[in-house]
Amino acid sequence: MENQEEKIQSFFRFEDLRIYGKAVDYATWLANALEAPRNESEKTMVSSFMHSAFDISLNIAEGSSRAKVNFEHYLKISKTAIRECVVYTTMAKNCGLLSMEQCETSRELLMEMTRMIGALIISVQRSLHQREDADEAQPSEFVSEF
């Protein structure tokens, strides 16, 4: 049974990415940390904040199924969602929906995810450039056919 569980867990390769796990953990933490909104403005902000938090992991998952150049694009979209969460963190603190301590925790988690995604983007870019260099170094197999 354990082998089946391992296969099921790793069937979706994005689940093996540490950044994906961090992003899911952040959205879960945020859902538990936010105080209940008191009015429509706060409800709208909380909804948008949660949407941005979800977008971090959703874009990692979506991009991982694409070509590397597209994966890089989706990772950059995830970084955009992180920056949105930074703004929402400040707004939520100012409205009393997050404490100062929760605000600091949110910012620390967002900075950590930004660094992780940045490192993953660099890794994807390197693998793209290495492949391009290898393609240039080797003559195309189709040249001899024509």
Side-chain angles (χ1 to χ4, degrees):
M1 277 277 182
E2 287 182 37
N3 276 343
Q4 272 186 322
E5 284 182 28
E6 287 176 24
K7 287 181 184 179
I8 290 170
Q9 289 177 350
S10 64
F11 179 80
F12 298 104
R13 300 289 308 244
F14 63 86
E15 291 181 315
D16 294 335
L17 296 170
R18 287 187 316 124
I19 183 58
Y20 170 78
K22 290 275 186 188
V24 169
D25 290 347
Y26 176 74
T28 303
W29 172 85
L30 184 62
N32 292 321
L34 285 169
E35 294 290 326
R38 298 171 294 247
N39 55 49
E40 280 305 308
S41 301
E42 288 181 358
K43 284 180 187 175
T44 300
M45 185 188 59
V46 166
S47 176
S48 297
F49 194 172
M50 289 306 305
H51 181 81
S52 293
F54 294 148
D55 275 353
I56 301 167
S57 54
L58 290 170
N59 280 296
I60 292 166
E62 177 67 22
S64 71
S65 68
R66 307 292 178 110
K68 286 183 181 181
V69 69
N70 293 335
F71 186 31
E72 179 185 354
H73 173 73
Y74 279 91
L75 290 171
K76 288 178 179 179
I77 294 172
S78 288
K79 282 181 77 172
T80 296
I82 289 171
R83 287 188 294 276
E84 290 172 358
C85 287
V86 171
V87 173
Y88 287 127
T89 293
T90 302
M91 293 168 66
K93 179 190 66 83
N94 291 347
C95 291
L97 299 172
L98 287 177
S99 68
M100 180 60 93
E101 183 180 319
Q102 290 169 320
C103 177
E104 289 174 20
T105 299
S106 179
R107 292 181 60 83
E108 288 170 11
L109 294 169
L110 293 167
M111 285 186 285
E112 180 182 9
M113 286 189 292
T114 297
R115 287 189 293 271
M116 291 175 78
I117 290 175
L120 186 53
I121 288 170
I122 290 169
S123 175
V124 168
Q125 288 172 339
R126 278 191 192 134
S127 69
L128 283 169
H129 292 302
Q130 288 172 351
R131 183 165 185 169
E132 287 172 3
D133 292 344
D135 288 345
E136 288 175 14
Q138 297 177 349
S140 173
E141 61 188 60
F142 298 108
V143 172
S144 61
E145 291 183 24
F146 295 103

